[in-house]
Amino acid sequence: MNDKESTQKNLSEAQEQGRYIRRIRSFVKREGRLTKGQASALERSWPTMGLKHEDGLLDLGKVFGREADTIVEIGFGMGHSLVAMAAAAPEKNFIGIEVHRPGVGACLMEAEEQGVTNLRVFEHDAVEVLQDCIADEALAGVQVFFPDPWHKKRHHKRRLIQPEFVEQLRRKLRIGGVLHLATDWENYAEHMLEVMQNASKWQNLSATNDYIPRPDERPLTKFEKRGARLGHGVWDLKFSRVE
Ligand SMILES: C[S@@+](CC[C@H](N)C(=O)[O-])C[C@H]1O[C@@H](n2cnc3c(N)ncnc32)[C@H](O)[C@@H]1O
């Protein structure tokens, strides 16, 4: 069997087993150096806060040692909003998913500084984590803040918010669970709204049937504060799973 045939065979086997093979990714893996602080936070806190994709389906009760609403944040960057939200809502469980290792290190560092214990993190592609590690109807909320906008039209297919992905998210939310999206790129906001309006079994929580004002629970980022001074917009969207 040549290389092409063997790739084709792996692909069809994976598809037969119901595995979702994505050829287009929403990120480009940057190597990026770890600072000393990030490296030592990873060393100290990964054993208690790190989750591995290869360990498969999570038992959330076991992971957090309690039953509580669980919120997943996808693409948390350096983790500023995630840690702030976890600190502000100790009664909830938070799981962050990020592919960029320095970001995971920065997030753990900040979690240590703030004494946050209701947070776990994956360093892996969120599409695969959702598919393999999170049971259907397990989540109270999913948040995706400022996902890479992929400005150029020919790159729009790399945008994370796409019909198949939001359908995957819907299945992971319990009925009534909420998907919260935010972006500072108007064209992406319109794309998000269009994807969500065309997706079935969701209810838009916007009073005007489009965007919502920034809810208090989403912390203002430094970047956003600067943008606001320059007159740049930010669009928040919230949809709940109805079926
Ligand atoms: C533009 S940054 C925004 C970071 C952060 N949410 C913020 O508001 O500062 C987007 C992040 O999403 C991450 N990302 C993109 N696709 C991802 C995926 N499929 N799984 C996990 N993380 C992803 C990138 O590595 C990047 O850190």
Side-chain angles (χ1 to χ4, degrees):
M1 202 184 304
N2 64 31
D3 280 358
K4 200 168 162 209
E5 284 165 345
S6 117
T7 308
Q8 196 53 47
K9 182 169 171 276
N10 289 343
L11 208 63
S12 351
E13 278 174 5
Q15 276 162 349
E16 268 164 34
Q17 291 159 14
R19 285 186 50 207
Y20 179 22
I21 301 287
R22 287 186 334 137
R23 294 169 202 85
I24 302 167
R25 289 184 187 273
S26 57
F27 58 90
V28 176
K29 191 102 168 107
R30 300 159 282 156
E31 269 325 312
R33 242 175 213 264
L34 288 174
T35 64
K36 273 196 189 138
Q38 291 163 357
S40 50
L42 275 165
E43 211 168 286
R44 272 191 310 272
S45 290
W46 184 262
T48 45
M49 298 178 90
L51 297 173
K52 291 203 196 119
H53 170 255
E54 58 266 33
D55 290 344
L57 196 65
L58 292 180
D59 177 339
L60 292 175
K62 251 197 199 152
V63 167
F64 289 96
R66 64 175 183 178
E67 299 299 327
D69 282 359
T70 302
I71 312 290
V72 163
E73 179 163 335
I74 295 170
F76 59 73
M78 306 301 266
H80 300 308
S81 309
L82 178 60
V83 173
M85 289 177 82
E91 73 286 1
K92 293 183 185 162
N93 299 331
F94 287 81
I95 298 178
I97 314 175
E98 173 56 62
V99 286
H100 189 49
R101 194 167 166 75
V104 176
C107 178
L108 293 184
M109 214 164 108
E110 198 159 327
E112 284 179 352
E113 277 161 22
Q114 297 205 28
V116 161
T117 55
N118 54 333
L119 171 64
R120 301 291 180 273
V121 292
F122 279 96
E123 182 195 339
H124 200 86
D125 181 356
V127 174
E128 293 183 2
V129 169
L130 286 166
Q131 175 190 272
D132 301 324
C133 308
I134 310 281
D136 285 355
E137 304 203 19
L139 305 178
V142 174
Q143 53 200 41
V144 192
F145 298 154
F146 306 100
D148 299 291
W150 293 104
H151 301 109
K152 292 183 184 151
K153 196 154 195 210
R154 69 169 192 280
H155 288 150
H156 284 182
K157 54 184 179 295
R158 284 181 168 272
R159 287 176 169 174
L160 194 56
I161 306 305
Q162 304 289 358
E164 307 74 42
F165 186 60
V166 298
E167 174 54 17
Q168 186 187 24
L169 294 180
R170 191 186 64 82
R171 279 186 273 113
K172 300 301 160 182
L173 287 168
R174 65 176 185 222
I175 307 287
V178 172
L179 172 62
H180 181 183
L181 308 174
T183 180
D184 59 353
W185 188 249
E186 188 168 15
N187 175 270
Y188 200 2
E190 290 165 357
H191 169 94
M192 287 173 172
L193 188 60
E194 190 182 326
V195 168
M196 292 308 298
Q197 279 172 336
N198 288 327
S200 46
K201 304 172 186 165
W202 291 98
Q203 185 192 351
N204 192 346
L205 300 182
S206 157
T208 45
N209 219 22
D210 47 15
Y211 309 104
I212 54 164
R214 178 181 63 84
D216 288 341
E217 81 267 11
R218 184 174 69 72
L220 258 187
T221 60
K222 254 194 259 166
F223 172 72
E224 200 176 348
K225 277 185 214 154
R226 196 178 58 219
R229 281 200 300 274
L230 297 168
H232 298 167
V234 169
W235 293 264
D236 281 84
L237 299 88
K238 261 193 188 182
F239 283 75
S240 69
R241 174 180 179 172
V242 287
E243 256 180 66

